[in-house]
Amino acid sequence: MEDETQFLITVSSEEKPSLERCCKFVSHSSCGAISTFTGITRDCLEDRIVTNLSYEGYVPMAVKELFKLCTEAKAKYHVHRIAVQHILGNCPVGEESVVIAASSPHRRNAIDCVAFLIDELKATVPIWKLEVYQNEESVWKENIEWHDGRRRRVMRKQESEEA
């Protein structure tokens, strides 16, 4: 079994993702590279003004899946340490929703590892995103996934409770 001290994994409404904390965790004297990804809530999608995102997730399963992905990524890309933090709850425009960091002796391994992790996180980890717009409409977003070799994004309008 993989040594848990090689990974920092949090999925929480109480602890915001921190680029500084992730970088400190993965930093090591044997590593010449730290690669990171930070997902930030943007203020628009196409012609719609976004006010915030709201994330929901099943924490025990999300942490288990992230641990599995980190274990796979560490073996595949030969990185030293990995940190993944994801917010639950509201995430206003301009704030971080997810931070991923990986360290390795050489840059390519860390860069490829982080790209793999964000793509797999979006495809497999049970965390769901509600995009809330200025007019108080909202849409549950399904992440981009591969279907028959093609990417697609599915949007569903939230049903009104006044029905």
Side-chain angles (χ1 to χ4, degrees):
M1 180 155 176
E2 189 68 43
D3 180 1
E4 291 184 28
T5 61
Q6 300 303 300
F7 308 136
L8 168 67
I9 299 170
T10 59
V11 177
S12 176
S13 59
E14 297 175 12
E15 182 178 350
K16 290 183 177 184
S18 166
L19 181 61
E20 181 180 3
R21 180 169 182 225
C22 288
C23 286
K24 280 184 182 179
F25 177 81
V26 301
S27 181
H28 191 268
S29 62
S30 68
C31 297
I34 294 175
S35 183
T36 66
F37 172 83
T38 303
I40 299 172
T41 301
R42 61 179 176 262
D43 65 358
C44 63
L45 176 68
E46 296 165 359
D47 60 349
R48 302 180 86 176
I49 297 173
V50 175
T51 59
N52 72 288
L53 301 177
S54 182
Y55 290 91
E56 292 184 14
Y58 181 57
V59 175
M61 187 181 281
V63 170
K64 183 178 178 180
E65 184 65 24
L66 285 168
F67 184 81
K68 187 170 93 177
L69 290 174
C70 288
T71 300
E72 180 181 351
K74 188 173 190 314
K76 185 175 183 176
Y77 298 103
H78 308 288
V79 295
H80 186 71
R81 288 190 183 144
I82 299 171
V84 181
Q85 294 190 303
H86 202 298
I87 195 170
L88 292 181
N90 287 331
C91 186
V93 168
E95 292 195 14
E96 297 88 353
S97 57
V98 61
V99 174
I100 300 173
S103 61
S104 64
H106 305 285
R107 71 180 178 274
R108 181 54 48 202
N109 300 67
I111 291 167
D112 291 346
C113 177
V114 169
F116 168 82
L117 285 169
I118 190 59
D119 290 344
E120 291 301 310
L121 181 155
K122 288 179 151 285
T124 65
V125 177
I127 297 173
W128 302 277
K129 175 171 62 176
L130 180 68
E131 201 162 74
V132 181
Y133 305 107
Q134 187 176 34
N135 61 4
E136 297 185 25
E137 287 183 354
S138 57
V139 173
W140 282 103
K141 302 293 288 277
E142 292 186 69
N143 290 315
I144 295 173
E145 297 183 46
W146 287 96
H147 295 279
D148 299 324
R150 295 184 327 226
R151 285 184 165 196
R152 76 174 181 169
R153 181 177 292 276
V154 179
M155 296 172 52
R156 296 184 307 143
K157 187 170 184 175
Q158 186 173 355
E159 295 180 22
S160 171
E161 295 179 6
E162 300 173 3

